[in-house]
Each structure stands twice: as C-alpha cells, then as structure tokens.
C-alpha cells in the first residue's frame, strides 16, 4: 500500500510553545489529507480536512487558530499546535487520500506538553 | 457508529480460532466501509474495504460482511495469530452537507490472542 510518513514521531514541549507536525505522502500525490487526534483507549477523532492550495476545513469544536494547517504541496501537510497546553497532549495522526479514494494513515505523532 | 468511549470492548480468542469483530454504523447513506488495524503506538493500517453494493468481500484470512438492513458490519479473521492482536476500527465514509467526504470511525475493539 501507499506510504505516509509523519515527523516527528514524538515531541515533548513546554506549555505555551508551538509545535509543528509534518505529514508526507511518499509515493503518491494527495490533494486531500486529514488530521486526527486520538486520546488513550479512544477512537480517532477527525480534527480537520486539509486541501492542497486552499483553506482547511475544521470539524465542529476544533479551534482553527490553535491548530494551524498548511497544505502547500501535493505531498505535504503540516499541523501546528500553537500555544500548546497540557490538555493538547495526545496522539496526532494524519492520513492522505489517493486518487482511488483510499485513505492511508501515517504512524502518528505523540505530543506531550509539560 | 460514531460513539466514542473510554473503555474499549475486548475480544479474547485462542490462537488458531476464528475471530469475529462487529460494528454498527448509523448513517444509512454511507456507501463505503473500511476496517483498520491499529497496533499500540502506531497509525491505523488498512485491512479491507467494502462498498454498499456488496454484502461480502474476502481477502487473505479476512472477510468483511455488510448487512445494510440492520446497518451492521463485521470482520472475520480466520486462524487468528498472535500478530493479529491489536485494536480494530470500522470506518464509514459519509458525504457531509458542505461537500467532500470523510471517514467516521467506530469505537474500536481490542483483539487479544491467547497462546
């Protein structure tokens, strides 16, 4: 299957700082990528849909000014958690959709805000 | 379905037995369903999918059954192996009113394979 990478795999930051997470589709182009958040023992919750060359579409309850998404190319989307706080600590997972509409997921990024 | 809970249902099976993981979905307009496997600390891995015009699809050691009448989806794993231990999520594709489409994940089921 198609490969999606994320960087970093885990990050620890101080409260109030910003963290950027990258999501790349390695062997295919993705006009649409998705960002999910997953808390322990819970399901994946869609945060936003990232569209190449246009603004992201955020799910209800997700602050667009706090979770900045940029999809500058067909293989890269970034999620920046601005002014991170301990409650933002979570597992962030991206996915990229192929032309055939299959979604492939990245390995996830573990964020810990102290 | 779209519900999210703090306690994952757990299914324990003996190695070599068949496993059946169930999922109920809520949107009768959903036309595409996928099963994902997620190992601890990793992203979900695609297992098998099925479109709403089918009621059964088989892969290698896995079978997905779709019952649109009762909005129920199941994943059957034959001859379960220790490497199958993971959390399994069903997902349905829906088309929101604003356009595009997105996946909605079920609660997930923890599969534990006992030796």
């Amino acid at each position: 299957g198609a490969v999606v990478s994320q960087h970093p795999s885990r990050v620890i930051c101080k409260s109030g700082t910003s963290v950027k997470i990258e999501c790349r589709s390695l062997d295919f182009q993705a006009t649409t990528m998705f960002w999910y958040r997953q808390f322990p023992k819970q399901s994946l919750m869609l945060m936003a849909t990232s569209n190449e060359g246009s603004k992201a579409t955020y799910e209800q309850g997700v602050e667009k000014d706090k979770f900045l998404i940029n999809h500058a190319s067909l293989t890269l989307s970034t999620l920046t958690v601005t002014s991170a706080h301990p409650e933002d600590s979570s597992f962030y997972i991206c996915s990229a959709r192929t032309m055939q509409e299959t979604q492939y997921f990245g390995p996830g990024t573990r964020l810990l805000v102290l | 379905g779209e519900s999210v809970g703090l306690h994952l249902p757990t299914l324990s099976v003996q190695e070599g037995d068949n496993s059946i993981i169930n999922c109920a979905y809520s949107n009768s307009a959903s036309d595409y369903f996928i099963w994902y496997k997620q190992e601890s600390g990793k992203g979900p891995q695609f297992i098998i999918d099925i479109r709403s015009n089918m009621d059964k699809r088989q892969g290698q050691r896995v079978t997905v059954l779709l019952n649109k009448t009762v909005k129920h989806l199941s994943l059957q794993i034959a001859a379960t192996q220790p490497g199958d231990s993971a959390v399994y999520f069903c997902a349905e594709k829906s088309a929101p009113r604003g356009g595009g489409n997105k996946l909605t994940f079920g609660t997930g089921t923890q599969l534990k394979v006992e030796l």
Side-chain angles (χ1 to χ4, degrees):
Chain A
V3 179
V4 176
S5 71
Q6 277 183 245
H7 179 80
S9 58
R10 61 177 64 217
V11 56
I12 301 173
C13 70
K14 293 182 179 179
S15 185
T17 60
S18 295
V19 174
K20 180 186 282 188
I21 303 170
E22 292 185 350
C23 177
R24 294 181 186 273
S25 55
L26 297 184
D27 49 2
F28 67 101
Q29 294 183 329
T31 55
T32 304
M33 293 185 174
F34 302 88
W35 286 96
Y36 296 83
R37 183 165 54 180
Q38 185 179 34
F39 292 106
K41 302 293 185 183
Q42 294 192 24
S43 188
L44 284 76
M45 296 300 292
L46 180 65
M47 299 174 67
T49 301
S50 171
N51 302 297
E52 188 267 336
S54 65
K55 291 183 179 180
T57 305
Y58 289 82
E59 294 299 300
Q60 193 172 9
V62 179
E63 298 175 58
K64 62 180 182 180
D65 294 329
K66 180 169 183 61
F67 299 99
L68 301 178
I69 292 173
N70 184 282
H71 194 153
S73 78
L74 288 171
T75 59
L76 174 64
S77 175
T78 61
L79 168 70
T80 301
V81 183
T82 62
S83 187
H85 288 96
E87 57 266 30
D88 298 322
S89 299
S90 188
F91 193 48
Y92 291 86
I93 308 172
C94 73
S95 72
R97 189 165 66 197
T98 68
M99 296 286 284
Q100 294 72 34
E101 305 255 314
T102 303
Q103 276 192 40
Y104 291 94
F105 286 81
T109 296
R110 177 83 54 196
L111 171 63
L112 176 62
V113 184
L114 301 176
Chain B
E2 198 171 343
S3 64
V4 174
L6 292 176
H7 301 285
L8 284 174
T10 299
L11 173 66
S12 294
V13 299
Q14 292 289 125
E15 181 181 6
D17 287 352
N18 296 334
S19 302
I20 300 177
I21 301 171
N22 297 302
C23 177
Y25 64 94
S26 55
N27 188 350
S28 57
S30 294
D31 61 357
Y32 179 56
F33 304 87
I34 312 105
W35 279 100
Y36 287 95
K37 172 186 180 183
Q38 187 179 27
E39 297 176 33
S40 181
K42 297 183 179 180
Q45 177 186 0
F46 174 90
I47 300 174
I48 192 168
D49 59 359
I50 188 168
R51 298 205 175 272
S52 59
N53 60 353
M54 303 172 69
D55 53 20
K56 180 179 180 179
R57 189 160 188 233
Q58 287 185 294
Q60 188 176 16
R61 276 202 311 121
V62 294
T63 301
V64 55
L65 299 177
L66 174 63
N67 185 330
K68 293 181 288 293
T69 303
V70 296
K71 291 188 281 196
H72 182 268
L73 196 65
S74 70
L75 176 70
Q76 300 178 6
I77 304 173
T80 312
Q81 302 169 0
D84 295 326
S85 294
V87 177
Y88 290 81
F89 293 98
C90 65
E92 58 181 305
K93 189 179 81 171
S94 59
R97 191 174 298 175
N101 57 68
K102 64 176 184 178
L103 290 180
T104 301
F105 282 80
T107 308
T109 297
Q110 173 82 57
L111 176 65
K112 293 186 177 180
V113 182
E114 298 170 348
L115 303 177

